[in-house]
Amino acid sequence: MSRYKKYAGGDPLAPPVDIAEALDAIGEDVMSGYSPERAMREFLRRGGQDQRGLDDLARQVAERRRELLQRHNLDGTLEQVRELLDRAVLEERKQLARDVTMDDGDRAFREMQIDNLSPNTAAAVSELSSYDWTSREAREAYDEIKDLLGREILDQRFAGMKQALEGATDEDREAIAEMLRDLNALLDKHNRGEDTDSDFDEFMAKHGQYLPENPQNIDELLDTLAQRSAAAQRMLNSMSPEQRRELMELSAQAFGSPALMDQLAQLDANLQAARPGEDWYGAEEFGGGEGLGLGDGTGVLQDIAELDQLSEQLQQSYAGSRLDDIDLDALSRQLGDQAAVDARTLQELEQALRDSGQLERGSDGDLRLTPKAMRQLGRSLLRDVAQRLSGRQGERDLQRAGAAGDLSGSSRPWAFGDTEPWDVPRTVTNAIIREVGEGRSGPGVRLTVDDIEVQETEARTQAAVALLVDTSFSMAMDGRWVPMKRTALALHTLIKSRFRNDDLQLISFGRYAQTMEIEKLTALDAIWDKGTNLHHALLLANRHFRKHPSAQPVLLIVTDGEPTAHLEPGGDVWFSYPPHPVTIARSVDELENARRLGAQTTFFRLGDDPGLARFIDSMARRVEGRVVAPELDDLGAAVVGSYLGDRTARRTSNSYGGYPDAFGGRGWWAG
């Protein structure tokens, strides 16, 4: 069975939404300390390179609202009534002046009545209600006032009624009066809980032509009428007291039937009782030069209410908010089809992010990056590092790592540039598992690029790597927090994907030190405690080295300050600034222990403090290590390059300053 629906706009041949840009942005914000939920919200708010975000749409909504208020005023109906009144009086004066057959006394009396009309438009219209017009044109103009008022007042409650009743007959007006009586009777029964579905059906069968919205039940009818009626009330609230008083006096002249106003007043009371949650008491300040009639003004107030709802939906600031909450039809009405297309694309992007396996709910209910997302983010960072490392002569190409040597017995997914032989059993197995998961059946196995695995062939020794990252408050204060996380994630990704026999331990050190999984370090918010406990971090690093006695220890230390804390034998932290000699001595002793375990040590000094430079230089000399002072943008390349250089130099020189230049001129070497 075929199903058809209204075309929703946009390019029908456009590909599905691409979440790669969103994931990169979310990863950056997560490393800056945002929760994954907030990071996703921030991306949807900002939008992408070629995608408008919620902020742009909200700005358009605000501009549209402001434009409506600054363009219009609420004098439209009163101005039309004044113009019709002036025309009627003018035509009557002309007729009195040219009618030579009229009795002079009668002419004088009529002229006196016209000359003494109240300057108040409503009072003047009322005073002329019993006047016997001598001019046909004048009478028509005056009758048009009553007709206009009736149509405008009905248009306030029933959209389109002003146009529908233009030129209406007495029978048409009686049909409207009957509809109002039946509607009030239906609402009275509903408010008492006595109405039935058949009551609604009978009403719609008899009067449905007056409701172009075509409500399907009593609740939809109430919603439609209450929204319009509340907008009409807000329009009255927005008028000056003089405008409001004059309009209410004029309303009694509508269709020449005070009973109409009684029916409408009863309707408003019924609607307010049924829908008290509508905004019946609000007001707006109009300041433009374009006058609005009662019906059009009510429509503008409805538009403003709809814009306010859209603004709240686009802000997504309420609990449990989702982009699915955005009313695309309303957005299209107010801002055009393209705005609705942009919002729908954001909805699809949010859903794709939630369905992609990149984000998941933890046991605590919070959203978090999945291991799949961490790998993808790490690969992106590693590509950036590879670009920064590229161009150095003699440096190993990351894409071709392990292209020579004996088979290691392990395999990995194929990447562009790999020249290793395929691992055929693993490749075919991947293809079979994928096709079964996709529900495909039939003869033969179809391979895709994602199925291919290659055999690792590099001959290498195992390394135990400890990456110590400073998480003291100065790292966050001086903008080094995110580069530190990017560095850790890039190195983690490199080791887990290319050097799987190596064992990486991530250690953060502030007032205390602790080992961390990459997911926890990546999501770590800025820590504002004072203290740089390098001593504790070295204790954890040496414990890691001792757990891998057959591996080559590699010690990488990223810091921007001298040690200001150490661990006491009882487990308490001793903090002192400036650094206490005991803290320095404990840190140096533990660094010496790392050297005795055979660790190749590299310090990555961040910042230009001369005292820090002297201290780290002296520390590096004691353990025949090295010092690199990279720019923040090059920190990841420096750490990864050092790790790769250590692997190259593992069986070569082990003297201070004797390592090959793994940094392509980035930073400088101590000694």
Side-chain angles (χ1 to χ4, degrees):
M1 180 177 63
S2 299
R3 293 185 181 273
Y4 299 91
K5 62 180 180 179
K6 179 183 176 182
Y7 176 55
D11 182 1
L13 301 180
V17 291
D18 183 5
I19 65 173
E21 180 186 8
L23 287 172
D24 287 343
I26 290 171
E28 287 291 323
D29 284 344
V30 167
M31 287 190 287
S32 298
Y34 288 9
S35 69
E37 182 80 42
R38 182 184 173 191
M40 181 177 68
R41 294 290 185 193
E42 285 295 307
F43 177 80
L44 295 172
R45 184 180 61 78
R46 296 190 305 263
Q49 183 175 358
D50 299 316
Q51 169 65 46
R52 286 198 299 172
L54 295 174
D55 279 358
D56 284 335
L57 294 173
R59 175 184 51 77
Q60 275 192 279
V61 166
E63 289 175 353
R64 169 68 174 157
R65 189 186 198 281
R66 185 166 55 251
E67 186 263 338
L68 289 175
L69 292 174
Q70 293 177 350
R71 184 203 301 175
H72 300 295
N73 64 60
L74 302 180
D75 279 338
T77 297
L78 294 176
E79 286 295 333
Q80 284 183 278
V81 170
R82 292 186 191 110
E83 290 174 4
L84 290 170
L85 179 62
D86 290 344
R87 189 200 310 168
V89 170
L90 178 61
E91 292 297 331
E92 182 68 7
R93 288 185 186 279
K94 289 179 181 179
Q95 181 63 28
L96 292 175
R98 64 174 175 256
D99 189 351
V100 296
T101 63
M102 183 178 293
D103 179 75
D104 289 341
D106 187 22
R107 179 185 293 110
F109 179 73
R110 289 174 180 277
E111 288 176 345
M112 182 182 67
Q113 282 183 287
I114 292 175
D115 290 340
N116 291 322
L117 285 174
S118 171
N120 181 279
T121 303
V125 171
S126 178
E127 291 167 6
L128 290 171
S129 62
S130 59
Y131 181 81
D132 183 16
W133 299 91
T134 62
S135 166
R136 180 177 58 81
E137 292 82 1
R139 176 174 293 280
E140 288 175 352
Y142 182 79
D143 288 343
E144 192 175 340
I145 291 175
K146 295 187 289 183
D147 182 70
L148 172 67
L149 288 170
R151 290 188 292 121
E152 286 279 18
I153 290 171
L154 285 171
D155 202 42
Q156 280 192 297
R157 276 73 174 184
F158 305 92
M161 193 70 81
K162 179 180 178 181
Q163 292 75 23
L165 289 179
E166 190 169 4
T169 64
D170 290 339
E171 290 77 12
D172 295 329
R173 298 187 186 99
E174 177 54 35
I176 292 294
E178 183 181 7
M179 183 271 289
L180 289 174
R181 288 192 295 270
D182 291 347
L183 177 58
N184 278 320
L186 175 62
L187 298 186
D188 281 336
K189 289 185 68 176
H190 178 75
N191 289 340
R192 296 194 304 269
E194 299 173 359
D195 64 311
T196 63
D197 291 342
S198 61
D199 292 331
F200 171 79
D201 294 337
E202 290 175 8
F203 174 82
M204 288 299 296
K206 187 176 181 181
H207 303 296
Q209 69 270 25
Y210 300 115
L211 297 163
E213 300 86 358
N214 191 28
Q216 299 300 303
N217 52 56
I218 186 67
D219 288 324
E220 290 186 12
L221 175 65
L222 283 168
D223 290 340
T224 299
L225 294 177
Q227 289 168 8
R228 186 85 178 173
S229 180
Q233 184 60 51
R234 291 197 301 276
M235 183 179 181
L236 285 175
N237 299 343
S238 303
M239 292 179 175
S240 68
E242 293 78 12
Q243 288 175 316
R244 190 159 50 246
R245 182 172 57 253
E246 192 170 2
L247 185 62
M248 296 306 294
E249 292 173 1
L250 282 171
S251 298
Q253 306 296 323
F255 289 146
S257 171
L260 173 66
M261 292 306 299
D262 293 339
Q263 289 289 341
L264 290 175
Q266 184 182 350
L267 175 62
D268 289 340
N270 282 325
L271 292 172
Q272 191 162 357
R275 291 292 185 269
E278 291 289 339
D279 183 6
W280 298 93
Y281 306 103
E284 300 292 343
E285 185 174 349
F286 290 82
E290 185 178 324
L292 289 171
L294 297 182
D296 291 339
T298 298
V300 168
L301 266 297
Q302 275 192 293
D303 284 342
I304 289 174
E306 191 167 67
L307 289 167
D308 289 341
Q309 291 175 350
L310 285 171
S311 178
E312 183 178 5
Q313 292 164 7
L314 291 169
Q315 288 174 7
Q316 296 280 289
S317 57
Y318 49 92
S321 60
R322 293 284 295 267
L323 292 193
D324 288 343
D325 300 339
I326 298 174
D327 188 337
L328 298 182
D329 291 336
L331 199 62
S332 179
R333 282 193 299 270
Q334 298 298 334
L335 302 183
D337 290 340
Q338 185 56 48
V341 170
D342 290 336
R344 186 172 64 252
T345 302
L346 289 174
Q347 289 177 343
E348 292 171 355
L349 183 60
E350 179 189 42
Q351 192 61 45
L353 285 169
R354 295 182 184 276
D355 295 343
S356 65
Q358 309 285 352
L359 300 170
E360 65 181 5
R361 293 282 177 190
S363 57
D364 55 1
D366 291 336
L367 206 63
R368 63 187 181 192
L369 295 176
T370 64
K372 177 181 177 181
M374 295 297 299
R375 290 193 298 271
Q376 182 167 331
L377 180 59
R379 286 195 295 268
S380 176
L381 295 176
L382 196 55
R383 282 194 298 270
D384 180 63
V385 167
Q387 290 174 358
R388 292 179 178 275
L389 287 172
S390 64
R392 294 201 308 271
Q393 294 182 355
E395 190 60 49
R396 183 161 60 176
D397 184 353
L398 295 182
Q399 294 290 349
R400 297 175 179 271
D406 299 328
L407 294 176
S408 66
S410 60
S411 64
R412 57 177 169 79
W414 176 86
F416 178 76
D418 283 341
T419 59
E420 295 88 345
W422 285 18
D423 187 326
V424 176
R426 287 294 307 163
T427 298
V428 174
T429 300
N430 291 341
I432 293 172
I433 293 174
R434 175 181 54 76
E435 292 201 342
V436 170
E438 294 173 353
R440 294 180 180 175
S441 61
V445 177
R446 289 171 289 181
L447 298 180
T448 68
V449 172
D450 293 336
D451 298 327
I452 301 172
E453 291 205 20
V454 295
Q455 296 177 346
E456 289 191 332
T457 59
E458 73 178 314
R460 62 186 183 209
T461 58
Q462 184 183 12
V465 185
L467 175 62
L468 281 55
V469 290
D470 190 343
T471 56
S472 60
F473 80 99
S474 60
M475 290 285 287
M477 183 176 63
D478 294 333
R480 297 161 185 156
W481 199 257
V482 173
M484 173 270 291
K485 291 183 177 183
R486 290 171 60 92
T487 297
L489 183 53
L491 182 61
H492 177 273
T493 302
L494 175 64
I495 291 176
K496 293 300 182 183
S497 62
R498 298 304 178 105
F499 301 99
R500 297 176 184 172
N501 289 337
D502 290 356
D503 199 300
L504 172 65
Q505 181 74 75
L506 298 174
I507 301 171
S508 66
F509 62 99
R511 195 174 187 88
Y512 288 90
Q514 58 180 319
T515 60
M516 282 192 176
E517 296 298 325
I518 187 61
E519 293 81 6
K520 183 177 180 181
L521 178 61
T522 303
L524 186 66
D525 202 354
I527 299 173
W528 301 99
D529 288 341
K530 294 183 178 180
T532 305
N533 199 334
L534 179 61
H535 168 244
H536 191 185
L538 290 169
L539 283 170
L540 296 177
N542 288 336
R543 185 175 67 181
H544 175 61
F545 296 151
R546 292 187 182 99
K547 288 170 60 177
H548 301 83
S550 61
Q552 169 62 53
V554 176
L555 180 61
L556 308 172
I557 304 172
V558 178
T559 185
D560 70 345
E562 300 174 67
T564 56
H566 67 269
L567 205 62
E568 291 284 274
D572 295 330
V573 170
W574 172 285
F575 169 78
S576 174
Y577 184 84
H580 194 278
V582 174
T583 299
I584 300 297
R586 295 280 177 85
S587 301
V588 170
D589 287 346
E590 206 56 42
L591 190 63
E592 291 279 5
N593 289 336
R595 183 176 72 94
R596 282 190 285 272
L597 291 171
Q600 299 172 347
T601 302
T602 304
F603 285 91
F604 300 90
R605 177 175 61 79
L606 304 179
D608 300 322
D609 179 51
L612 174 64
R614 289 192 296 271
F615 172 76
I616 289 182
D617 288 350
S618 63
M619 293 273 282
R621 288 192 181 93
R622 292 183 68 94
V623 294
E624 299 179 335
R626 54 189 170 182
V627 180
V628 183
E631 297 294 331
L632 278 180
D633 288 345
D634 280 335
L635 177 61
V639 171
V640 169
S642 175
Y643 164 73
L644 294 173
D646 283 342
R647 295 180 57 79
T648 303
R650 198 162 292 161
R651 287 190 290 267
T652 62
S653 172
N654 195 32
S655 61
Y656 178 76
Y659 293 92
D661 183 0
F663 309 100
R666 292 180 173 85
W668 51 272
W669 301 93

